[in-house]
Amino acid sequence: DSGVGGFTVLRKVIELCPNNSFIYLADTARLPYGVKTTHEIVNIAEEISSWFGCQNIDAFLVACNTTNAIALDVIKKNLDVPVFDLIGSAASTVQESRVGVIATPSTVKSKAYTSAILEFKPKTYVIEQSCPEFVPMIEMDNIYSNEIIDIAIRYLQPLLRQRIESLILGCSHYPLITPLLDKVLPTNVKLIDP
Ligand code: DGL
């Protein structure tokens, strides 16, 4: 991933596979990914997956939704080990008929979540909201301010107006602000953390 976000994914994988070893790459030099062009993200994905290709790994997990949305095929082509699809597996768990997705601008633009959800549940109503201000604030640990609460309300309002029943955290940084989102969301909206 681009920074601290991937640790939310890594933590869960370690819980599931405590006896495996992991290499985690946090590309803080090029953070944030979520506002980069497709071309830039594909180049980064090619470079990083080529490096992992030399690390004697048995499997590869893209902990970054933005990279997964835009460059999963490039990574799969580059590596000869299984590559897990974070977005596809999150989409397969959706039960509700009206689903909101919050993610980076590049992920939202790709519509990867909408396509993946509709593949599993074609009648689902999916609404995606891009949240460009979250990642820089989370990386700076600015997650307890009134400012971020106001921003969260602004991002979530359009989704709540559409009466969503669940909300997918479509960026691995967002589980780090779950307490804040819980405060802003009505209790009947279920949070889905891929
Ligand atoms: N955490 C990443 C994601 O899941 C990217 C965040 C960023 O660098 O913008 O999309």
Side-chain angles (χ1 to χ4, degrees), residues 2 16 27 31 34-35 46 57-58 66 82 87 98 110 113-114 122 126-127 131 143 146 149 155 160 175 181 194:
S2 58
L16 289 170
D27 186 6
L31 178 97
V35 291
E46 260 170 0
I57 55 170
D58 300 312
T66 307
I87 294 180
R98 303 183 72 79
S110 76
Y113 266 101
T114 300
V126 185
I127 170 168
C131 307
I143 57 173
N146 287 337
I149 295 184
Y155 287 150
L160 296 175
L181 297 171

Side-chain angles (χ1 to χ4, degrees), residues 6 10 19 24 26-27 35 57 61 74 95 105 107 110 134 146 150 160 174 180-181 188 193:
L10 180 61
N19 298 322
Y24 175 67
D27 186 6
V35 291
I57 55 170
L61 173 61
V74 173
Q95 304 287 331
T107 301
S110 76
F134 277 162
N146 287 337
D150 291 343
L160 296 175
Y174 300 169
L180 166 86
L181 297 171
N188 60 339
D193 171 3

Side-chain angles (χ1 to χ4, degrees), residues 63-182:
C64 171
N65 289 259
T66 307
T67 313
N68 193 126
I70 289 163
L72 190 67
D73 290 345
V74 173
I75 295 170
K76 281 186 174 168
K77 249 189 238 154
N78 230 1
L79 292 173
D80 51 12
V81 294
V83 176
F84 300 115
D85 176 4
L86 193 69
I87 294 180
S89 54
S92 70
T93 68
V94 168
Q95 304 287 331
E96 298 73 26
S97 315
R98 303 183 72 79
V99 181
V101 179
I102 50 173
T104 66
S106 306
T107 301
V108 169
K109 204 167 147 214
S110 76
K111 292 265 173 228
Y113 266 101
T114 300
S115 317
I117 293 167
L118 295 183
E119 220 172 275
F120 288 100
K121 266 189 102 215
K123 288 193 181 137
T124 316
Y125 172 75
V126 185
I127 170 168
E128 300 197 36
Q129 171 71 45
S130 104
C131 307
E133 283 150 288
F134 277 162
V135 167
M137 294 183 91
I138 293 167
E139 283 287 334
M140 287 185 303
D141 207 23
N142 178 5
I143 57 173
Y144 306 102
S145 61
N146 287 337
E147 190 194 355
I148 196 165
I149 295 184
D150 291 343
I151 292 170
I153 292 171
R154 174 157 48 84
Y155 287 150
L156 294 175
Q157 254 165 6
L159 308 184
L160 296 175
R161 272 201 293 271
Q162 294 298 320
R163 293 175 289 108
I164 55 162
E165 296 157 312
S166 62
L167 178 70
I168 298 184
L169 304 182
C171 169
S172 56
H173 280 72
Y174 300 169
L176 298 168
I177 53 166
T178 301
L180 166 86
L181 297 171
D182 275 338

